[in-house]
PDB file of all heavy atoms in Angstrom:
ATOM      1  N   SER A 291      94.141  56.557 106.067  1.00 98.00           N
ATOM      2  CA  SER A 291      94.394  57.548 107.128  1.00 98.00           C
ATOM      3  C   SER A 291      94.389  56.878 108.505  1.00 98.00           C
ATOM      4  O   SER A 291      94.903  57.423 109.469  1.00 98.00           O
ATOM      5  CB  SER A 291      93.363  58.674 107.068  1.00 98.00           C
ATOM      6  OG  SER A 291      92.119  58.210 107.553  1.00 98.00           O
ATOM      7  N   MET A 292      93.808  55.684 108.610  1.00 98.00           N
ATOM      8  CA  MET A 292      93.785  54.964 109.899  1.00 98.00           C
ATOM      9  C   MET A 292      95.038  54.111 110.081  1.00 98.00           C
ATOM     10  O   MET A 292      95.225  53.506 111.130  1.00 98.00           O
ATOM     11  CB  MET A 292      92.535  54.082 109.996  1.00 98.00           C
ATOM     12  CG  MET A 292      91.233  54.861 109.999  1.00 98.00           C
ATOM     13  SD  MET A 292      89.810  53.721 110.023  1.00 98.00           S
ATOM     14  CE  MET A 292      88.601  54.659 109.098  1.00 98.00           C
ATOM     15  N   ASP A 293      95.863  54.028 109.045  1.00 98.00           N
ATOM     16  CA  ASP A 293      97.166  53.373 109.130  1.00 98.00           C
ATOM     17  C   ASP A 293      97.114  51.905 109.578  1.00 98.00           C
ATOM     18  O   ASP A 293      97.728  51.520 110.574  1.00 98.00           O
ATOM     19  CB  ASP A 293      98.087  54.178 110.073  1.00 98.00           C
ATOM     20  CG  ASP A 293      99.552  53.821 109.852  1.00 98.00           C
ATOM     21  OD1 ASP A 293      99.881  53.356 108.745  1.00 98.00           O
ATOM     22  OD2 ASP A 293     100.351  53.997 110.795  1.00 98.00           O
ATOM     23  N   PHE A 294      96.396  51.096 108.822  1.00 98.00           N
ATOM     24  CA  PHE A 294      96.387  49.645 109.060  1.00 98.00           C
ATOM     25  C   PHE A 294      97.715  49.056 108.565  1.00 98.00           C
ATOM     26  O   PHE A 294      98.351  49.631 107.678  1.00 98.00           O
ATOM     27  CB  PHE A 294      95.241  49.002 108.276  1.00 98.00           C
ATOM     28  CG  PHE A 294      93.874  49.285 108.833  1.00 98.00           C
ATOM     29  CD1 PHE A 294      93.115  50.351 108.365  1.00 98.00           C
ATOM     30  CD2 PHE A 294      93.338  48.474 109.826  1.00 98.00           C
ATOM     31  CE1 PHE A 294      91.848  50.613 108.876  1.00 98.00           C
ATOM     32  CE2 PHE A 294      92.071  48.722 110.340  1.00 98.00           C
ATOM     33  CZ  PHE A 294      91.326  49.798 109.866  1.00 98.00           C
ATOM     34  N   PRO A 295      98.141  47.896 109.094  1.00 98.00           N
ATOM     35  CA  PRO A 295      99.388  47.277 108.597  1.00 98.00           C
ATOM     36  C   PRO A 295      99.233  46.615 107.224  1.00 98.00           C
ATOM     37  O   PRO A 295     100.214  46.168 106.640  1.00 98.00           O
ATOM     38  CB  PRO A 295      99.717  46.242 109.667  1.00 98.00           C
ATOM     39  CG  PRO A 295      98.453  45.978 110.390  1.00 98.00           C
ATOM     40  CD  PRO A 295      97.605  47.208 110.269  1.00 98.00           C
ATOM     41  N   GLY A 296      98.013  46.543 106.688  1.00 98.00           N
ATOM     42  CA  GLY A 296      97.798  45.988 105.353  1.00 98.00           C
ATOM     43  C   GLY A 296      96.398  46.336 104.897  1.00 98.00           C
ATOM     44  O   GLY A 296      95.546  46.713 105.717  1.00 98.00           O
ATOM     45  N   TYR A 297      96.168  46.203 103.587  1.00 98.00           N
ATOM     46  CA  TYR A 297      94.868  46.576 103.030  1.00 98.00           C
ATOM     47  C   TYR A 297      94.360  45.516 102.075  1.00 98.00           C
ATOM     48  O   TYR A 297      95.126  44.954 101.294  1.00 98.00           O
ATOM     49  CB  TYR A 297      94.972  47.915 102.290  1.00 98.00           C
ATOM     50  CG  TYR A 297      95.265  49.031 103.243  1.00 98.00           C
ATOM     51  CD1 TYR A 297      96.584  49.425 103.494  1.00 98.00           C
ATOM     52  CD2 TYR A 297      94.247  49.652 103.948  1.00 98.00           C
ATOM     53  CE1 TYR A 297      96.873  50.422 104.410  1.00 98.00           C
ATOM     54  CE2 TYR A 297      94.519  50.646 104.869  1.00 98.00           C
ATOM     55  CZ  TYR A 297      95.833  51.031 105.099  1.00 98.00           C
ATOM     56  OH  TYR A 297      96.108  51.998 106.020  1.00 98.00           O
ATOM     57  N   ALA A 298      93.055  45.274 102.137  1.00 98.00           N
ATOM     58  CA  ALA A 298      92.439  44.369 101.186  1.00 98.00           C
ATOM     59  C   ALA A 298      91.559  45.173 100.245  1.00 98.00           C
ATOM     60  O   ALA A 298      91.025  46.213 100.611  1.00 98.00           O
ATOM     61  CB  ALA A 298      91.592  43.336 101.914  1.00 98.00           C
ATOM     62  N   VAL A 299      91.445  44.664  99.014  1.00 98.00           N
ATOM     63  CA  VAL A 299      90.448  45.186  98.099  1.00 98.00           C
ATOM     64  C   VAL A 299      89.289  44.210  98.177  1.00 98.00           C
ATOM     65  O   VAL A 299      89.410  43.052  97.782  1.00 98.00           O
ATOM     66  CB  VAL A 299      91.000  45.287  96.659  1.00 98.00           C
ATOM     67  CG1 VAL A 299      89.942  45.882  95.735  1.00 98.00           C
ATOM     68  CG2 VAL A 299      92.282  46.120  96.626  1.00 98.00           C
ATOM     69  N   GLY A 300      88.183  44.670  98.743  1.00 97.00           N
ATOM     70  CA  GLY A 300      87.014  43.813  98.910  1.00 97.00           C
ATOM     71  C   GLY A 300      85.961  44.132  97.873  1.00 97.00           C
ATOM     72  O   GLY A 300      86.112  45.044  97.059  1.00 97.00           O
ATOM     73  N   GLY A 301      84.878  43.357  97.897  1.00 96.00           N
ATOM     74  CA  GLY A 301      83.757  43.642  97.003  1.00 96.00           C
ATOM     75  C   GLY A 301      84.021  43.302  95.554  1.00 96.00           C
ATOM     76  O   GLY A 301      83.279  43.737  94.675  1.00 96.00           O
ATOM     77  N   LEU A 302      85.072  42.513  95.293  1.00 97.00           N
ATOM     78  CA  LEU A 302      85.303  42.027  93.928  1.00 97.00           C
ATOM     79  C   LEU A 302      85.123  40.512  93.946  1.00 97.00           C
ATOM     80  O   LEU A 302      85.038  39.905  95.005  1.00 97.00           O
ATOM     81  CB  LEU A 302      86.699  42.420  93.432  1.00 97.00           C
ATOM     82  CG  LEU A 302      86.866  43.926  93.151  1.00 97.00           C
ATOM     83  CD1 LEU A 302      88.295  44.239  92.737  1.00 97.00           C
ATOM     84  CD2 LEU A 302      85.883  44.405  92.071  1.00 97.00           C
ATOM     85  N   SER A 303      85.081  39.922  92.739  1.00 94.00           N
ATOM     86  CA  SER A 303      84.809  38.497  92.642  1.00 94.00           C
ATOM     87  C   SER A 303      83.453  38.178  93.269  1.00 94.00           C
ATOM     88  O   SER A 303      83.281  37.171  93.949  1.00 94.00           O
ATOM     89  CB  SER A 303      85.925  37.699  93.334  1.00 94.00           C
ATOM     90  OG  SER A 303      85.933  36.374  92.880  1.00 94.00           O
ATOM     91  N   VAL A 304      82.500  39.071  93.085  1.00 93.00           N
ATOM     92  CA  VAL A 304      81.140  38.862  93.595  1.00 93.00           C
ATOM     93  C   VAL A 304      80.141  38.788  92.438  1.00 93.00           C
ATOM     94  O   VAL A 304      78.983  39.141  92.587  1.00 93.00           O
ATOM     95  CB  VAL A 304      80.727  39.974  94.603  1.00 93.00           C
ATOM     96  CG1 VAL A 304      81.501  39.834  95.891  1.00 93.00           C
ATOM     97  CG2 VAL A 304      80.909  41.375  94.020  1.00 93.00           C
ATOM     98  N   GLY A 305      80.647  38.355  91.273  1.00 93.00           N
ATOM     99  CA  GLY A 305      79.770  38.172  90.128  1.00 93.00           C
ATOM    100  C   GLY A 305      79.980  39.165  88.999  1.00 93.00           C
ATOM    101  O   GLY A 305      79.304  39.081  87.972  1.00 93.00           O
TER     102      GLY A 305
END
Side-chain angles (χ1 to χ4, degrees):
S291 74
M292 296 177 212
D293 198 24
F294 288 93
Y297 294 93
V299 182
L302 289 177
S303 200
V304 290

